mmCIF file of all heavy atoms in Angstrom:
data_model
loop_
_atom_site.group_PDB
_atom_site.id
_atom_site.type_symbol
_atom_site.label_atom_id
_atom_site.label_comp_id
_atom_site.label_asym_id
_atom_site.label_seq_id
_atom_site.Cartn_x
_atom_site.Cartn_y
_atom_site.Cartn_z
ATOM 1 N N ALA A 520 45.813 -13.853 46.887
ATOM 2 C CA ALA A 520 46.677 -14.974 47.108
ATOM 3 C C ALA A 520 45.885 -16.094 47.604
ATOM 4 O O ALA A 520 46.049 -17.337 47.258
ATOM 5 C CB ALA A 520 47.641 -14.667 48.270
ATOM 6 N N ALA A 521 44.767 -15.932 48.392
ATOM 7 C CA ALA A 521 43.870 -16.949 48.896
ATOM 8 C C ALA A 521 43.197 -17.597 47.650
ATOM 9 O O ALA A 521 42.906 -18.824 47.643
ATOM 10 C CB ALA A 521 42.959 -16.407 49.947
ATOM 11 N N MET A 522 42.720 -16.671 46.793
ATOM 12 C CA MET A 522 41.986 -17.192 45.508
ATOM 13 C C MET A 522 42.889 -18.023 44.645
ATOM 14 O O MET A 522 42.567 -19.103 44.150
ATOM 15 C CB MET A 522 41.560 -16.002 44.793
ATOM 16 C CG MET A 522 40.482 -16.346 43.787
ATOM 17 S SD MET A 522 39.794 -14.806 43.064
ATOM 18 C CE MET A 522 39.505 -13.807 44.302
ATOM 19 N N ILE A 523 44.150 -17.491 44.462
ATOM 20 C CA ILE A 523 45.093 -18.247 43.593
ATOM 21 C C ILE A 523 45.457 -19.537 44.174
ATOM 22 O O ILE A 523 45.541 -20.700 43.532
ATOM 23 C CB ILE A 523 46.392 -17.393 43.349
ATOM 24 C CG1 ILE A 523 46.072 -16.141 42.494
ATOM 25 C CG2 ILE A 523 47.444 -18.254 42.798
ATOM 26 C CD1 ILE A 523 47.161 -15.180 42.618
ATOM 27 N N ASP A 524 45.528 -19.618 45.573
ATOM 28 C CA ASP A 524 45.904 -20.880 46.264
ATOM 29 C C ASP A 524 44.743 -21.919 45.964
ATOM 30 O O ASP A 524 45.088 -23.139 45.750
ATOM 31 C CB ASP A 524 45.975 -20.539 47.731
ATOM 32 C CG ASP A 524 46.344 -21.894 48.617
ATOM 33 O OD1 ASP A 524 47.402 -22.346 48.236
ATOM 34 O OD2 ASP A 524 45.570 -22.187 49.435
ATOM 35 N N ARG A 525 43.556 -21.572 46.002
ATOM 36 C CA ARG A 525 42.520 -22.535 45.821
ATOM 37 C C ARG A 525 42.455 -22.950 44.314
ATOM 38 O O ARG A 525 42.087 -24.065 43.950
ATOM 39 C CB ARG A 525 41.139 -21.981 46.216
ATOM 40 C CG ARG A 525 41.025 -21.941 47.667
ATOM 41 C CD ARG A 525 39.921 -21.045 48.211
ATOM 42 N NE ARG A 525 39.685 -21.207 49.610
ATOM 43 C CZ ARG A 525 40.507 -20.695 50.523
ATOM 44 N NH1 ARG A 525 41.600 -20.029 50.295
ATOM 45 N NH2 ARG A 525 40.269 -20.942 51.893
ATOM 46 N N LEU A 526 42.628 -22.030 43.370
ATOM 47 C CA LEU A 526 42.645 -22.317 41.968
ATOM 48 C C LEU A 526 43.730 -23.245 41.536
ATOM 49 O O LEU A 526 43.541 -24.152 40.739
ATOM 50 C CB LEU A 526 42.554 -20.941 41.148
ATOM 51 C CG LEU A 526 41.305 -20.158 41.156
ATOM 52 C CD1 LEU A 526 41.625 -18.829 40.464
ATOM 53 C CD2 LEU A 526 40.264 -20.941 40.310
ATOM 54 N N VAL A 527 44.837 -23.057 42.004
ATOM 55 C CA VAL A 527 46.135 -23.702 41.460
ATOM 56 C C VAL A 527 46.382 -24.970 42.320
ATOM 57 O O VAL A 527 47.256 -25.768 41.760
ATOM 58 C CB VAL A 527 47.366 -22.909 41.380
ATOM 59 C CG1 VAL A 527 47.041 -21.534 40.559
ATOM 60 C CG2 VAL A 527 47.852 -22.481 42.797
ATOM 61 N N HIS A 528 45.750 -25.219 43.383
ATOM 62 C CA HIS A 528 45.907 -26.569 44.154
ATOM 63 C C HIS A 528 45.929 -27.710 43.316
ATOM 64 O O HIS A 528 46.746 -28.465 43.283
ATOM 65 C CB HIS A 528 44.911 -26.561 45.321
ATOM 66 C CG HIS A 528 45.188 -27.784 46.075
ATOM 67 N ND1 HIS A 528 44.064 -28.422 46.672
ATOM 68 C CD2 HIS A 528 46.230 -28.549 46.469
ATOM 69 C CE1 HIS A 528 44.402 -29.517 47.395
ATOM 70 N NE2 HIS A 528 45.799 -29.529 47.220
ATOM 71 N N ARG A 529 44.978 -27.709 42.471
ATOM 72 C CA ARG A 529 44.726 -28.891 41.564
ATOM 73 C C ARG A 529 44.451 -28.289 40.126
ATOM 74 O O ARG A 529 43.199 -28.179 39.910
ATOM 75 C CB ARG A 529 43.731 -29.914 41.990
ATOM 76 C CG ARG A 529 44.177 -30.694 43.261
ATOM 77 C CD ARG A 529 43.079 -31.467 43.862
ATOM 78 N NE ARG A 529 42.098 -32.173 42.960
ATOM 79 C CZ ARG A 529 41.088 -32.861 43.388
ATOM 80 N NH1 ARG A 529 40.841 -32.915 44.713
ATOM 81 N NH2 ARG A 529 40.284 -33.443 42.546
ATOM 82 N N ALA A 530 45.424 -27.829 39.449
ATOM 83 C CA ALA A 530 45.085 -27.245 38.165
ATOM 84 C C ALA A 530 46.247 -27.275 37.203
ATOM 85 O O ALA A 530 47.402 -27.593 37.592
ATOM 86 C CB ALA A 530 44.972 -25.639 38.431
ATOM 87 N N GLU A 531 45.880 -27.271 36.019
ATOM 88 C CA GLU A 531 46.826 -27.025 34.898
ATOM 89 C C GLU A 531 46.914 -25.632 34.467
ATOM 90 O O GLU A 531 45.914 -25.080 34.122
ATOM 91 C CB GLU A 531 46.414 -27.868 33.711
ATOM 92 C CG GLU A 531 47.486 -28.171 32.608
ATOM 93 C CD GLU A 531 48.601 -29.101 33.043
ATOM 94 O OE1 GLU A 531 48.283 -30.287 33.457
ATOM 95 O OE2 GLU A 531 49.748 -28.656 33.050
ATOM 96 N N VAL A 532 48.051 -25.016 34.651
ATOM 97 C CA VAL A 532 48.321 -23.643 34.284
ATOM 98 C C VAL A 532 49.025 -23.518 33.020
ATOM 99 O O VAL A 532 50.121 -24.045 32.881
ATOM 100 C CB VAL A 532 49.134 -22.928 35.435
ATOM 101 C CG1 VAL A 532 49.251 -21.471 35.096
ATOM 102 C CG2 VAL A 532 48.310 -23.055 36.746
ATOM 103 N N LEU A 533 48.458 -22.855 32.098
ATOM 104 C CA LEU A 533 48.999 -22.724 30.652
ATOM 105 C C LEU A 533 49.348 -21.325 30.480
ATOM 106 O O LEU A 533 48.475 -20.402 30.519
ATOM 107 C CB LEU A 533 48.006 -23.196 29.648
ATOM 108 C CG LEU A 533 47.446 -24.588 29.638
ATOM 109 C CD1 LEU A 533 46.501 -24.897 28.510
ATOM 110 C CD2 LEU A 533 48.573 -25.609 29.743
ATOM 111 N N ASN A 534 50.669 -20.979 30.314
ATOM 112 C CA ASN A 534 51.143 -19.717 30.041
ATOM 113 C C ASN A 534 51.346 -19.510 28.553
ATOM 114 O O ASN A 534 52.208 -20.191 27.968
ATOM 115 C CB ASN A 534 52.471 -19.379 30.784
ATOM 116 C CG ASN A 534 52.323 -19.163 32.292
ATOM 117 O OD1 ASN A 534 51.859 -18.220 32.636
ATOM 118 N ND2 ASN A 534 52.725 -20.214 32.966
ATOM 119 N N LEU A 535 50.516 -18.780 27.895
ATOM 120 C CA LEU A 535 50.495 -18.593 26.495
ATOM 121 C C LEU A 535 51.450 -17.418 26.055
ATOM 122 O O LEU A 535 51.162 -16.248 26.555
ATOM 123 C CB LEU A 535 49.094 -18.385 25.996
ATOM 124 C CG LEU A 535 48.085 -19.360 26.431
ATOM 125 C CD1 LEU A 535 46.693 -19.097 25.872
ATOM 126 C CD2 LEU A 535 48.522 -20.709 26.208
ATOM 127 N N THR A 536 52.431 -17.648 25.352
ATOM 128 C CA THR A 536 53.254 -16.619 24.844
ATOM 129 C C THR A 536 53.427 -16.741 23.278
ATOM 130 O O THR A 536 53.363 -17.901 22.833
ATOM 131 C CB THR A 536 54.777 -16.759 25.461
ATOM 132 O OG1 THR A 536 55.268 -18.039 25.223
ATOM 133 C CG2 THR A 536 54.640 -16.479 26.944
ATOM 134 N N GLY A 537 53.578 -15.644 22.731
ATOM 135 C CA GLY A 537 53.683 -15.679 21.203
ATOM 136 C C GLY A 537 52.892 -14.387 20.638
ATOM 137 O O GLY A 537 52.471 -13.573 21.334
ATOM 138 N N ASP A 538 52.947 -14.411 19.285
ATOM 139 C CA ASP A 538 52.180 -13.336 18.646
ATOM 140 C C ASP A 538 50.774 -13.204 18.886
ATOM 141 O O ASP A 538 50.186 -14.312 19.201
ATOM 142 C CB ASP A 538 52.378 -13.484 17.083
ATOM 143 C CG ASP A 538 53.827 -13.076 16.609
ATOM 144 O OD1 ASP A 538 54.659 -12.544 17.387
ATOM 145 O OD2 ASP A 538 54.153 -13.638 15.588
ATOM 146 N N SER A 539 50.172 -12.079 18.947
ATOM 147 C CA SER A 539 48.738 -11.948 19.085
ATOM 148 C C SER A 539 48.043 -12.706 17.909
ATOM 149 O O SER A 539 48.375 -12.450 16.790
ATOM 150 C CB SER A 539 48.405 -10.484 19.088
ATOM 151 O OG SER A 539 46.904 -10.401 18.808
ATOM 152 N N TYR A 540 47.100 -13.592 18.312
ATOM 153 C CA TYR A 540 46.367 -14.302 17.282
ATOM 154 C C TYR A 540 45.670 -13.479 16.317
ATOM 155 O O TYR A 540 45.698 -13.624 15.068
ATOM 156 C CB TYR A 540 45.329 -15.214 17.979
ATOM 157 C CG TYR A 540 44.796 -16.320 17.172
ATOM 158 C CD1 TYR A 540 45.494 -17.602 16.968
ATOM 159 C CD2 TYR A 540 43.480 -16.236 16.597
ATOM 160 C CE1 TYR A 540 44.912 -18.576 16.119
ATOM 161 C CE2 TYR A 540 43.000 -17.289 15.991
ATOM 162 C CZ TYR A 540 43.675 -18.363 15.667
ATOM 163 O OH TYR A 540 43.081 -19.432 14.926
ATOM 164 N N ARG A 541 44.961 -12.424 16.839
ATOM 165 C CA ARG A 541 44.236 -11.510 15.952
ATOM 166 C C ARG A 541 45.161 -10.651 15.196
ATOM 167 O O ARG A 541 44.983 -10.434 14.005
ATOM 168 C CB ARG A 541 43.314 -10.684 16.810
ATOM 169 C CG ARG A 541 42.182 -11.384 17.464
ATOM 170 C CD ARG A 541 41.237 -10.488 18.148
ATOM 171 N NE ARG A 541 41.792 -9.927 19.379
ATOM 172 C CZ ARG A 541 41.606 -10.482 20.524
ATOM 173 N NH1 ARG A 541 41.021 -11.653 20.680
ATOM 174 N NH2 ARG A 541 42.114 -9.994 21.667
ATOM 175 N N THR A 542 46.281 -10.142 15.754
ATOM 176 C CA THR A 542 47.262 -9.301 15.031
ATOM 177 C C THR A 542 47.917 -10.084 13.862
ATOM 178 O O THR A 542 48.063 -9.631 12.792
ATOM 179 C CB THR A 542 48.280 -8.756 15.978
ATOM 180 O OG1 THR A 542 47.791 -8.042 17.049
ATOM 181 C CG2 THR A 542 49.314 -7.898 15.267
ATOM 182 N N ARG A 543 48.154 -11.345 14.193
ATOM 183 C CA ARG A 543 48.874 -12.189 13.203
ATOM 184 C C ARG A 543 47.825 -12.459 11.947
ATOM 185 O O ARG A 543 48.192 -12.339 10.848
ATOM 186 C CB ARG A 543 49.245 -13.484 13.695
ATOM 187 C CG ARG A 543 49.806 -14.470 12.728
ATOM 188 C CD ARG A 543 50.545 -15.655 13.432
ATOM 189 N NE ARG A 543 50.979 -16.578 12.390
ATOM 190 C CZ ARG A 543 51.786 -17.631 12.677
ATOM 191 N NH1 ARG A 543 52.049 -18.014 13.987
ATOM 192 N NH2 ARG A 543 52.187 -18.466 11.725
ATOM 193 N N ALA A 544 46.619 -12.667 12.362
ATOM 194 C CA ALA A 544 45.655 -12.880 11.271
ATOM 195 C C ALA A 544 45.397 -11.695 10.398
ATOM 196 O O ALA A 544 45.301 -11.794 9.304
ATOM 197 C CB ALA A 544 44.244 -13.301 11.940
ATOM 198 N N ARG A 545 45.426 -10.417 11.116
ATOM 199 C CA ARG A 545 45.298 -9.141 10.241
ATOM 200 C C ARG A 545 46.521 -9.044 9.436
ATOM 201 O O ARG A 545 46.379 -8.634 8.242
ATOM 202 C CB ARG A 545 45.199 -8.063 11.232
ATOM 203 C CG ARG A 545 43.803 -7.876 11.822
ATOM 204 C CD ARG A 545 43.584 -6.484 12.454
ATOM 205 N NE ARG A 545 44.503 -6.317 13.504
ATOM 206 C CZ ARG A 545 44.256 -6.500 14.813
ATOM 207 N NH1 ARG A 545 43.075 -7.057 15.161
ATOM 208 N NH2 ARG A 545 45.037 -6.190 15.784
ATOM 209 N N ARG A 546 47.665 -9.367 9.931
ATOM 210 C CA ARG A 546 48.849 -9.210 9.073
ATOM 211 C C ARG A 546 48.804 -10.099 7.881
ATOM 212 O O ARG A 546 49.204 -9.766 6.723
ATOM 213 C CB ARG A 546 50.240 -9.601 9.876
ATOM 214 C CG ARG A 546 50.558 -8.427 10.881
ATOM 215 C CD ARG A 546 52.041 -8.628 11.172
ATOM 216 N NE ARG A 546 52.380 -9.895 11.637
ATOM 217 C CZ ARG A 546 52.484 -10.244 12.953
ATOM 218 N NH1 ARG A 546 52.149 -9.360 13.890
ATOM 219 N NH2 ARG A 546 52.719 -11.543 13.324
ATOM 220 N N GLU A 547 48.294 -11.353 8.005
ATOM 221 C CA GLU A 547 48.240 -12.292 6.927
ATOM 222 C C GLU A 547 47.236 -11.755 5.950
ATOM 223 O O GLU A 547 47.430 -11.958 4.753
ATOM 224 C CB GLU A 547 47.903 -13.705 7.479
ATOM 225 C CG GLU A 547 49.038 -14.341 8.220
ATOM 226 C CD GLU A 547 48.582 -15.733 8.964
ATOM 227 O OE1 GLU A 547 47.452 -15.981 8.948
ATOM 228 O OE2 GLU A 547 49.559 -16.413 9.473
ATOM 229 N N LEU A 548 46.155 -11.272 6.469
ATOM 230 C CA LEU A 548 45.201 -10.807 5.622
ATOM 231 C C LEU A 548 45.581 -9.564 4.659
ATOM 232 O O LEU A 548 45.344 -9.517 3.547
ATOM 233 C CB LEU A 548 43.861 -10.324 6.398
ATOM 234 C CG LEU A 548 42.670 -9.882 5.654
ATOM 235 C CD1 LEU A 548 42.143 -11.188 4.763
ATOM 236 C CD2 LEU A 548 41.511 -9.520 6.494
ATOM 237 N N LEU A 549 46.263 -8.677 5.339
ATOM 238 C CA LEU A 549 46.916 -7.535 4.715
ATOM 239 C C LEU A 549 47.987 -7.982 3.581
ATOM 240 O O LEU A 549 48.001 -7.387 2.519
ATOM 241 C CB LEU A 549 47.503 -6.586 5.601
ATOM 242 C CG LEU A 549 46.511 -5.781 6.524
ATOM 243 C CD1 LEU A 549 47.241 -5.071 7.611
ATOM 244 C CD2 LEU A 549 45.661 -4.810 5.665
ATOM 245 N N ALA A 550 48.724 -9.042 3.944
ATOM 246 C CA ALA A 550 49.775 -9.531 3.079
ATOM 247 C C ALA A 550 49.105 -10.139 1.821
ATOM 248 O O ALA A 550 49.517 -9.789 0.751
ATOM 249 C CB ALA A 550 50.619 -10.598 3.774
ATOM 250 N N LYS A 551 47.930 -10.828 2.042
ATOM 251 C CA LYS A 551 47.239 -11.440 0.911
ATOM 252 C C LYS A 551 46.662 -10.370 0.022
ATOM 253 O O LYS A 551 46.637 -10.423 -1.176
ATOM 254 C CB LYS A 551 46.214 -12.381 1.430
ATOM 255 C CG LYS A 551 46.704 -13.631 1.923
ATOM 256 C CD LYS A 551 45.595 -14.486 2.506
ATOM 257 C CE LYS A 551 46.071 -15.828 3.101
ATOM 258 N NZ LYS A 551 45.017 -16.701 3.585
#
Side-chain angles (χ1 to χ4, degrees):
M522 195 175 320
I523 293 168
D524 181 62
R525 284 163 174 77
L526 281 172
V527 304
H528 176 216
R529 288 166 44 180
E531 192 69 58
V532 180
L533 304 181
N534 288 287
L535 310 182
T536 58
D538 291 341
S539 165
Y540 194 80
R541 290 187 288 270
T542 301
R543 179 173 178 173
R545 283 196 296 270
R546 283 203 306 266
E547 291 175 352
L548 185 62
L549 289 171
K551 288 181 181 178

